[in-house]
Amino acid sequence: MTRKAVKGSVIADLLAENPIQDYEALDFEFPDEHINEVDCEEEGPADVWEMYFDGAVNLSGNGIGAVLISPDGKQFPIAVKLRFDCTNNIAEYEACVMGLQAAIEMKIRKLEVYGDSTLIIYQVKGEWQTKDPKLIPYQKYLLELIKKFEEISFTHLSRDKNQFADALATLAVMA
């Protein structure tokens, strides 16, 4: 006999020799067995996600960073090294696009977007015109992505309040 079989038989013998006198079988009746699913999703401010984005362009290269934050505070960071030369504004647009694409893949319906790029925030809101021919396709694509959300808002932040996305972008550059 194997050691495992011996241990198992010892336990079985012990239980057989020492029965429990006041044993009652467990009640396996489920009064709500007709209920298949409990839905606890509530509509309202509790289901709004946040997204922070930033781009980094320096002598070491180009990178983008974004972080999605769930209503319960879980963070989903994204960092990507860009393998092409670009301006800071293009890197910022790339970061915003990447974050929105990730949000769409995660089936997020309500999103508050924060970035420290005044240009991008105000161009997406339609308050500023996009004159740079390199940025026009980015803005058009961003506007198409925006249509896939039930609710979305864009807010400008100061740099010191966007440090995590900035760190992700810088990390992507260094990778």
Side-chain angles (χ1 to χ4, degrees):
M1 272 177 132
T2 66
R3 184 181 276 173
K4 196 171 195 172
V6 171
K7 286 181 184 178
S9 65
V10 169
I11 292 172
D13 292 341
L14 178 69
L15 291 174
E17 290 172 10
N18 302 303
I20 300 173
Q21 300 303 327
D22 56 346
Y23 173 74
E24 289 182 29
L26 294 175
D27 184 15
F28 287 109
E29 287 186 33
F30 297 108
D32 297 328
E33 61 189 22
H34 63 282
I35 297 175
N36 293 330
E37 179 180 338
V38 177
D39 187 14
C40 62
E41 282 187 34
E42 295 178 16
E43 291 295 320
D47 61 349
V48 178
W49 287 61
E50 294 179 355
M51 182 187 96
Y52 295 81
F53 71 92
D54 199 14
V57 175
N58 59 40
L59 295 173
S60 302
N62 310 319
I64 58 175
V67 62
L68 290 163
I69 303 174
S70 69
D72 61 352
K74 291 181 184 167
Q75 297 184 358
F76 300 87
I78 303 162
V80 177
K81 183 174 181 99
L82 300 178
R83 302 265 182 208
F84 58 91
D85 290 331
C86 63
T87 65
N88 191 48
N89 289 333
I90 289 175
E92 295 280 348
Y93 261 113
E94 287 278 347
C96 189
V97 164
M98 182 64 67
L100 291 181
Q101 287 173 335
I104 290 167
E105 285 180 28
M106 293 171 70
K107 309 226 182 308
I108 295 170
R109 304 301 304 144
K110 298 177 183 177
L111 186 65
E112 293 175 355
V113 180
Y114 299 95
D116 58 22
S117 171
T118 308
L119 181 85
I120 292 181
I121 298 296
Y122 288 110
Q123 283 180 348
V124 169
K125 285 179 160 184
E127 295 177 21
W128 290 1
Q129 290 183 345
T130 308
K131 295 181 181 176
D132 186 344
K134 290 181 262 175
L135 298 181
I136 292 172
Y138 282 104
Q139 184 190 25
K140 285 182 181 177
Y141 184 61
L142 211 54
L143 294 174
E144 288 300 313
L145 291 176
I146 289 170
K147 293 176 186 175
K148 298 185 180 188
F149 294 92
E150 283 177 22
E151 292 177 20
I152 190 165
S153 65
F154 289 83
T155 306
H156 179 260
L157 288 178
S158 60
R159 271 210 157 138
D160 61 319
K161 293 190 174 125
N162 200 23
Q163 291 178 345
F164 189 58
D166 182 54
L168 286 170
T170 305
L171 180 67
V173 169
M174 296 186 320

